[in-house]
Amino acid sequence: MKPKANHRQPNLFVEVLKGLAANKLTLALLVVIFASSLSVVQVTHFARQELIEQDQLLQERDELDLEWRYLLVEEEFYSQHARIEEIATMQLEMKRPTSQDEQVIVLP
């Protein structure tokens, strides 16, 4: 059987706490450094979230702009006078009224 050592090794964590308790300024600075590091991490996280959201909104804006351009081209195509007149005469069998087809209504 081995003989037990009479001296006990100091606990490092307890020694560090005793040293910090002895020097209040060091403890205060340590707390401030820890709080500021946490705030830097939090602000960086929020900034990255906002950047991701901005990128998504810019992409959505570009998609909507492209869709708007397609709609303008489609509107231009469907609003051409010659096309409307062709559809009116061919499909709907419409014709321009003559002076004999016109009737004038006089209101009292």
Side-chain angles (χ1 to χ4, degrees), residues 62-73:
D62 291 342
E63 290 170 1
L64 288 172
D65 186 47
L66 186 61
E67 183 180 350
W68 172 252
R69 290 179 187 192
Y70 284 142
L71 288 172
L72 286 177
V73 169

Side-chain angles (χ1 to χ4, degrees), residues 9 21 29 32 46 77 86 88:
Q9 292 183 354
L29 289 176
V32 168
F46 287 147
F77 172 74
E86 179 184 342

Side-chain angles (χ1 to χ4, degrees), residues 65-100:
D65 186 47
L66 186 61
E67 183 180 350
W68 172 252
R69 290 179 187 192
Y70 284 142
L71 288 172
L72 286 177
V73 169
E74 188 176 352
E75 179 187 30
E76 181 67 28
F77 172 74
Y78 285 126
S79 66
Q80 291 177 352
H81 183 68
R83 183 179 182 282
I84 293 172
E85 189 172 350
E86 179 184 342
I87 290 173
T89 56
M90 296 296 206
Q91 292 179 0
L92 302 175
E93 298 177 359
M94 297 176 85
K95 60 179 182 174
R96 290 194 178 271
T98 61
S99 60
Q100 293 142 357

Side-chain angles (χ1 to χ4, degrees), residues 6-18:
N6 289 339
H7 69 284
R8 185 172 181 214
Q9 292 183 354
N11 188 353
L12 183 61
F13 183 70
V14 174
E15 293 299 322
V16 168
L17 288 179
K18 285 181 186 177

Side-chain angles (χ1 to χ4, degrees), residues 5-72:
N6 289 339
H7 69 284
R8 185 172 181 214
Q9 292 183 354
N11 188 353
L12 183 61
F13 183 70
V14 174
E15 293 299 322
V16 168
L17 288 179
K18 285 181 186 177
L20 289 175
N23 193 348
K24 303 291 184 195
L25 179 62
T26 306
L27 180 62
L29 289 176
L30 182 65
V31 169
V32 168
I33 290 171
F34 184 70
S36 68
S37 65
L38 286 178
S39 65
V40 166
V41 169
Q42 187 176 16
V43 167
T44 304
H45 176 69
F46 287 147
R48 286 182 181 165
Q49 281 182 333
E50 294 296 321
L51 188 61
I52 290 170
E53 184 179 355
Q54 180 187 14
D55 287 343
Q56 290 171 348
L57 290 173
L58 287 174
Q59 183 178 2
E60 183 180 350
R61 183 195 68 182
D62 291 342
E63 290 170 1
L64 288 172
D65 186 47
L66 186 61
E67 183 180 350
W68 172 252
R69 290 179 187 192
Y70 284 142
L71 288 172
L72 286 177

